[in-house]
Amino acid sequence: MSIDTHAADAPRHSAGPPPLDPGERRKQARQVRRGRLDMKASPYLYVAPFFVLFAVFGFFPLLYTGWVSMRDWGLIKGDQGFVGLQNFQAVLTDANFWNAMYNTAGIFVVATVPQLLLALMLANWLNRKLRFRTALRMGILLPNITSVAAVGIVFGFIFADRYGLANWILQSLSLDPISWRGSRFASWTAIAFMVDWRWTGYNALIYLAAMQAIPRDLYESASLDGASPTRQFWQLTVPLIQPTILFTVIISTIGGMQLFTEPLMFNYGAAGSGSGLENFQTIAMYIYYTTFEGNFKYGLGSAMSWLLFLLIIGFALINFLMVRRSLKGSK
């Protein structure tokens, strides 16, 4: 048997790729630069549509309203020139403005506090093993997709002073009927029913999503330690969904301070006139009346809008701090 020694003595070549020609190297360099640009620019492009829409429909109207608020501008007489802070001074000395603010804050408290508590309880119930659980979870969102005008009409009949369902129930229980628009607290309660009927299910679904993210073994450990379901809810569930509760409080604060459609429908569609309107006219209704129905004072309405914007920020911050402190104390 003979061995071919020439094959062993032949020079060995490297195993790497063959060298590229200059055109191919430029092509690869362009691809690398394009990839780096994609990695840097893509995140900004993905979020850019939101900021473009916010700038057009949110930030620009905010600045424009601020500019109009410092001018004597009416929708009929037009722009009469710069007046500085006179519109703000007129608003702050307007008794109707403060009455509307008082109504807004009152309806917000009467509607929002029970709404969020009820949503929390409802979410806790839906988080358990139930029959038809999916149907129930979908069903609580139905009021939210109902037309607010239809809600206003139906609740207007329910809380009608004459022949209303609510007064019929009271009279069936041998109680005196209530003049729902003649009393401040009665009108707040009626409007709060409308608001809560629409938004409780929505907030309950938000809480439910947060509760489902809590690991189940925490509840199993708590059960082994002897914690009752009520104690598990207040000492385990509520602290763990604290960021979600803060989120709903802030969103509810913003929505509550801008309450417009429900009280408007409760007053049969009129923003500036009606029996007992002073008992439940909100600040959003008063702004609409001042700007589009009363004396068409565009500048004055803009000043009110800016003051409402600042008050919403203040209320949201106060609510945020109070709820965060309360939840930290419950841990």
Side-chain angles (χ1 to χ4, degrees):
M1 180 177 179
S2 63
I3 299 175
D4 186 4
T5 57
H6 298 288
D9 296 337
R12 295 182 178 178
H13 298 286
S14 64
L20 299 175
D21 58 64
E24 193 67 24
R25 282 201 297 272
R26 285 195 295 271
K27 182 179 178 181
Q28 285 194 355
R30 281 198 300 271
Q31 290 177 344
V32 170
R33 286 197 297 272
R34 204 173 299 162
R36 288 175 180 171
L37 180 64
D38 180 54
M39 292 291 291
K40 291 181 179 178
S42 291
Y44 299 101
L45 290 177
Y46 293 147
V47 298
F50 164 77
F51 287 102
V52 171
L53 292 175
F54 174 75
V56 174
F57 297 105
F59 192 62
F60 171 72
L62 187 67
L63 296 179
Y64 185 72
T65 305
W67 180 70
V68 173
S69 68
M70 291 185 284
R71 307 188 73 81
D72 182 13
W73 195 330
L75 291 180
I76 296 177
K77 64 182 181 181
D79 186 6
Q80 301 297 311
F82 182 77
V83 294
L85 299 177
Q86 287 184 13
N87 285 327
F88 291 93
Q89 186 179 3
V91 170
L92 292 175
T93 55
D94 183 1
N96 291 328
F97 172 78
W98 290 110
N99 180 67
M101 282 302 305
Y102 181 66
N103 288 333
T104 305
I107 295 173
F108 163 72
V109 173
V110 172
T112 304
V113 174
Q115 176 194 136
L116 295 182
L117 288 174
L118 186 61
L120 205 56
M121 303 295 178
L122 193 58
N124 186 51
W125 176 66
L126 290 172
N127 198 31
R128 298 176 182 175
K129 293 181 179 178
L130 301 170
R131 288 187 177 182
F132 313 112
R133 185 169 54 180
T134 304
L136 291 172
R137 289 175 179 176
M138 293 174 64
I140 63 170
L141 200 59
L142 284 178
N144 191 251
I145 62 176
T146 307
S147 166
V148 66
V151 174
I153 292 171
V154 171
F155 276 87
F157 282 116
I158 292 175
F159 291 105
D161 291 339
R162 294 183 179 180
Y163 313 115
L165 178 63
N167 275 339
W168 178 80
I169 294 174
L170 290 175
Q171 288 175 320
S172 300
L173 298 173
S174 301
L175 298 174
D176 294 331
I178 296 175
S179 175
W180 295 104
R181 290 162 184 79
S183 161
R184 194 180 292 272
F185 186 72
S187 57
W188 290 0
T189 305
I191 295 170
F193 265 99
M194 299 166 65
V195 176
D196 291 350
W197 191 81
R198 286 197 69 219
W199 293 105
T200 299
Y202 174 82
N203 287 315
L205 281 186
I206 295 176
Y207 290 146
L208 178 62
M211 289 178 184
Q212 290 186 330
I214 300 174
R216 306 303 301 178
D217 53 355
L218 292 179
Y219 290 103
E220 294 172 2
S221 301
S223 298
L224 291 175
D225 291 339
S228 65
T230 304
R231 189 176 177 187
Q232 290 178 27
F233 175 71
W234 289 111
Q235 296 191 352
L236 185 61
T237 304
V238 172
L240 288 176
I241 63 169
Q242 175 183 342
T244 307
I245 294 175
L246 291 175
F247 169 76
T248 55
V249 167
I250 293 172
I251 294 298
S252 299
T253 303
I254 295 172
M257 297 303 290
Q258 296 177 333
L259 197 62
F260 176 73
T261 309
E262 286 86 354
L264 184 73
M265 299 305 297
F266 184 69
N267 197 37
Y268 306 111
S273 61
S275 175
L277 179 65
E278 68 279 3
N279 292 326
F280 56 88
Q281 186 185 43
T282 61
I283 185 62
M285 289 173 70
Y286 190 54
I287 291 173
Y288 182 83
Y289 171 74
T290 303
T291 308
F292 299 108
E293 288 187 355
N295 296 320
F296 303 102
K297 293 179 179 178
Y298 194 22
L300 208 59
S302 299
M304 291 182 191
S305 300
W306 251 92
L307 288 173
L308 176 61
F309 171 69
L310 296 176
L311 286 171
I312 287 174
I313 293 177
F315 267 99
L317 285 175
I318 291 171
N319 270 344
F320 174 79
L321 295 174
M322 289 176 63
V323 174
R324 190 176 66 170
R325 179 174 296 181
S326 173
L327 291 175
K328 281 185 176 178
S330 66
K331 288 183 178 178

